[in-house]
Amino acid sequence: MSAVQESAEHAVRTSYGRLLALLASADGNIVAAEDALADALERALTTWPRDGVPTDPDAWLLTAARNKRRDVWKSAAHRTSVALDPVVHAESRLDDIDVDALPDKRLELMAVCAHPDVDRAVRTPLMLDVVLGFTAKDIAQAFALPASTMAARLGRAKKRIRDAHIPFELPDRSALPARVDAIREAVYGAFAIDWNASGSEVRENMIGEALHLAETLCAVLPEDAEAHGLAASIGLSAARMPARCRDGVLVPLAEQDFHLWDADLLHRGEQHLVAAHRLVAAGSSALGRFQLEAAASAVHCGRRKTGRTDWTALRELYSALQTSAPTVGSAVALAVVTAETDGALAALRLLDRTNGTERFQPAWAARAHLQAQLGNVDSARSAYEKAISLTADPPTRAYLDKQLRRL
């Protein structure tokens, strides 16, 4: 890959959502903003090899995309007598733009995606698409839907936002809580899609983006314990990334070298968890899913101080999580933890009672491990093979292959 391509792709990975939010906020036309940004990227690949990569690639892309949109606005004004906004629609020059000085409109764009006029089922996928840059295929896999179905839903939602003239602004404090659940889900989804599907190879800067957005939510809604729980969950999980892979092989959490964990991220996550706990204790906010997940992460991270994992506490937390916000992921986690407290047979019974595990890779990996513990070699081999077939991440495949060969 050429240096120009690398620069363009880096800009897409790190700034796509912020640039798109700035472009779309002018008139609410997300599709047109996407087209303009795509055109800017295409122009970059043509002009940068000739003129050199600009000092500020983001500003260059924003200028090019805005100029593309300006041409459309001028044409629209000429044909339909739509008045131009002298500020929003004015021609921009590269020297006039400091992208870092512009307000970050991503949270506003997420609020647009969570508007009551947008179908509830597509709000979180829409945020993952337009704000965080995931493809329809990525999102479809996370929601167990065909990519074509997801793409069609996303397209209809964008058209709805444009046609309904939904404003790009944060709603007042009375309306924001009705949208914040979907926003939290999208922020968590941005982290979880890569965490679960990519194992140790997390999308560059996506953890930082997800944590930034979670902490932005905390700033906007400081009394929302779940926002702090979300930030804590992402921070504590991200802290363990440096230890998740060794020599190209995934390292299970219980076997990780905790000396490699990021101390700053651990502290950051712990502070958010403390803030959430104080809000719940004061009765100003309720205990929720993200706080429980963050608490479970904190228990795992506690091994850094105590040298042991409190499996009983983990079982209590995952049991509470399954009661309050049941998911396939938390059910599998509960089974894995139960194996440590009550044995593999009890854990396997929990797995057998869990629905929706047919294409859920962690469930097959857990089943393989439990069957191996029970001495059921044929069943363990079959489960490992199934888990491997559902794994795209090389380090995770290497780990599962290694376990399979040990049978």
Side-chain angles (χ1 to χ4, degrees):
M1 182 182 296
S2 69
V4 170
Q5 288 175 311
E6 288 181 354
S7 296
E9 290 196 7
H10 179 76
V12 172
R13 286 194 303 268
T14 59
S15 303
Y16 179 85
R18 194 153 69 96
L19 295 177
L20 183 65
L22 287 167
L23 290 166
S25 64
D27 63 356
N29 194 332
I30 294 173
V31 174
E34 289 175 328
D35 290 343
L37 190 52
D39 182 80
L41 290 166
E42 185 176 344
R43 291 189 182 194
L45 292 175
T46 302
T47 60
W48 290 3
R50 182 189 67 228
D51 301 336
V53 177
T55 303
D56 190 341
D58 288 354
W60 192 101
L61 290 170
L62 182 59
T63 299
R66 274 184 165 175
N67 288 342
K68 178 69 174 179
R69 295 246 54 209
R70 182 207 65 216
D71 293 341
V72 174
W73 285 321
K74 282 185 175 180
S75 177
H78 176 73
R79 294 195 312 268
T80 66
S81 299
V82 174
L84 296 184
D85 184 316
V87 176
V88 173
H89 299 163
E91 180 172 358
S92 299
R93 292 172 53 249
L94 178 59
D95 294 339
D96 295 333
I97 294 181
D98 180 357
V99 175
D100 291 332
L102 294 171
D104 191 335
K105 303 289 288 184
R106 282 175 298 178
L107 196 56
E108 284 91 334
L109 181 52
M110 295 179 87
V112 168
C113 295
H115 192 277
D117 284 347
V118 177
D119 181 11
R120 182 180 297 274
V122 80
R123 292 175 192 173
T124 295
L126 187 60
M127 283 182 255
L128 291 172
D129 174 34
V130 301
V131 185
L132 296 162
F134 285 95
T135 66
K137 181 180 178 181
D138 289 332
I139 302 166
Q141 288 177 342
F143 284 81
L145 289 172
S148 58
T149 300
M150 181 58 70
R153 291 182 181 180
L154 293 171
R156 288 194 296 269
K158 293 172 189 177
K159 185 175 184 296
R160 175 61 179 162
I161 289 171
R162 182 197 66 195
D163 294 346
H165 302 291
I166 297 173
F168 271 64
E169 62 187 16
L170 282 177
D172 62 36
R173 292 302 177 98
S174 64
L176 187 55
R179 306 190 198 183
V180 76
D181 285 348
I183 294 174
R184 285 194 300 252
E185 289 291 340
V187 173
Y188 184 76
F191 178 76
I193 286 177
D194 276 339
W195 182 269
N196 293 326
S198 304
S200 58
E201 298 184 351
V202 171
R203 188 186 305 251
E204 182 179 346
N205 208 40
M206 186 52 67
I207 289 177
E209 289 295 285
L211 186 54
H212 168 75
L213 289 170
E215 292 186 325
T216 300
L217 264 183
C218 293
V220 173
L221 295 172
E223 301 301 309
D224 182 1
E226 275 291 81
H228 287 287
L230 172 62
S233 182
I234 294 173
L236 292 171
S237 296
R240 304 194 300 265
M241 283 300 300
R244 289 192 85 205
C245 186
R246 183 172 59 241
D247 299 327
V249 180
L250 186 72
V251 180
L253 176 54
E255 300 173 19
Q256 289 176 13
D257 181 356
F258 54 74
H259 295 98
L260 300 177
W261 293 346
D262 188 312
D264 289 338
L265 279 175
L266 285 174
H267 177 72
R268 200 161 154 186
E270 289 167 354
Q271 290 299 105
H272 280 294
L273 191 55
V274 168
H277 176 73
R278 286 174 178 165
L279 289 168
V280 172
S284 59
S285 194
L287 181 65
R289 166 196 170 188
F290 293 116
Q291 296 166 69
L292 289 170
E293 291 192 357
S297 284
V299 171
H300 279 296
C301 293
R303 181 165 62 87
R304 182 169 173 261
K305 298 176 181 178
T306 66
R308 56 179 290 275
T309 299
D310 190 340
W311 296 107
T312 300
L314 282 172
R315 182 176 179 182
E316 291 175 357
L317 286 167
Y318 281 118
S319 294
L321 189 57
Q322 268 302 94
T323 299
S324 62
T327 65
V328 177
S330 61
V332 172
L334 176 58
V336 171
V337 170
T338 298
E340 300 293 337
T341 59
D342 295 357
L345 187 58
L348 198 57
R349 288 171 180 160
L350 284 179
L351 268 186
D352 289 340
R353 295 198 298 267
T354 302
N355 296 321
T357 61
E358 180 58 31
R359 296 197 57 77
F360 190 58
Q361 185 267 7
W364 287 102
R367 181 176 294 277
H369 178 67
L370 295 173
Q371 292 285 15
Q373 281 189 323
L374 293 169
N376 301 328
V377 176
D378 290 341
S379 295
R381 179 177 292 108
S382 178
Y384 273 126
E385 290 171 349
K386 179 68 173 180
I388 291 168
S389 75
L390 296 172
T391 303
D393 176 54
T396 303
R397 288 181 65 93
Y399 169 76
L400 294 172
D401 279 329
K402 183 178 179 181
Q403 300 304 114
L404 178 59
R405 290 194 301 271
R406 285 179 172 177
L407 291 177

